[in-house]
Amino acid sequence: MGLLKGIDPLLTADVLHILRSMGHGDKLCLCDCNFPASQVATQTTSGKHVILTVSLPQALAAICSVLPLDFFEERQAVYMAPQEGVEMPPAGVEVVSALKGAIVEHCGDDTKIEPMERFKFYDEAKTCFAVIQTMERRPYGNVVLTKGCVGPDGNDLKP
């Protein structure tokens, strides 16, 4: 495997192919190691399931370094949250904070990242272009990103 200058080495050829194949408005599911990724991936647009052997925040940092998010939508990302009546465990709170930080670092403070109830999240994941599974072990380490456009300045296109 050869490395490229300016491209995070976590971005494998398979991941880069998925990101380049996506159009604006397409969604990408990044999930933890307990998510039913293989099963969900069979119902996505591409049917692709790629595994990265890193944490969710590491994968997000690499992907968000090259993937523009859709700032013409109400929200740019959603993360899995517990169903009604279930409290987010401390490790879940920790991973959600880390995933938000990784996204905002590359996409800006104006990025809207919202919770989505667990069972709705599973349905949302099935509408994605592909699934990238990480080795994240903390619960609720699952997020869906909506791809946007690269603007004339080389950054995420914003209204």
Side-chain angles (χ1 to χ4, degrees), residues 112-127:
K112 293 184 187 87
I113 307 162
E114 298 179 357
M116 181 175 280
E117 186 270 334
R118 178 180 164 211
F119 296 106
K120 288 181 182 174
F121 186 92
Y122 289 127
D123 291 337
E124 181 78 2
K126 293 173 187 174
T127 71

Side-chain angles (χ1 to χ4, degrees), residues 40-58:
V40 169
T42 65
Q43 298 177 61
T44 63
T45 304
S46 70
K48 302 262 187 208
H49 171 212
V50 174
I51 298 172
L52 293 179
T53 57
V54 296
S55 71
L56 179 70
Q58 289 172 301

Side-chain angles (χ1 to χ4, degrees), residues 30-101:
L30 284 91
C31 62
D32 63 29
C33 64
N34 291 303
F35 190 83
S38 291
Q39 183 269 331
V40 169
T42 65
Q43 298 177 61
T44 63
T45 304
S46 70
K48 302 262 187 208
H49 171 212
V50 174
I51 298 172
L52 293 179
T53 57
V54 296
S55 71
L56 179 70
Q58 289 172 301
L60 276 168
I63 288 167
C64 289
S65 74
V66 298
L67 183 74
L69 296 185
D70 193 341
F71 283 87
F72 290 86
E73 290 292 325
E74 183 179 321
R75 59 187 180 215
Q76 291 71 57
V78 295
Y79 62 89
M80 182 187 279
Q83 65 269 32
E84 189 175 331
V86 176
E87 191 172 323
M88 178 75 81
V93 172
E94 182 181 283
V95 75
V96 167
S97 176
L99 77 82
K100 287 178 177 179

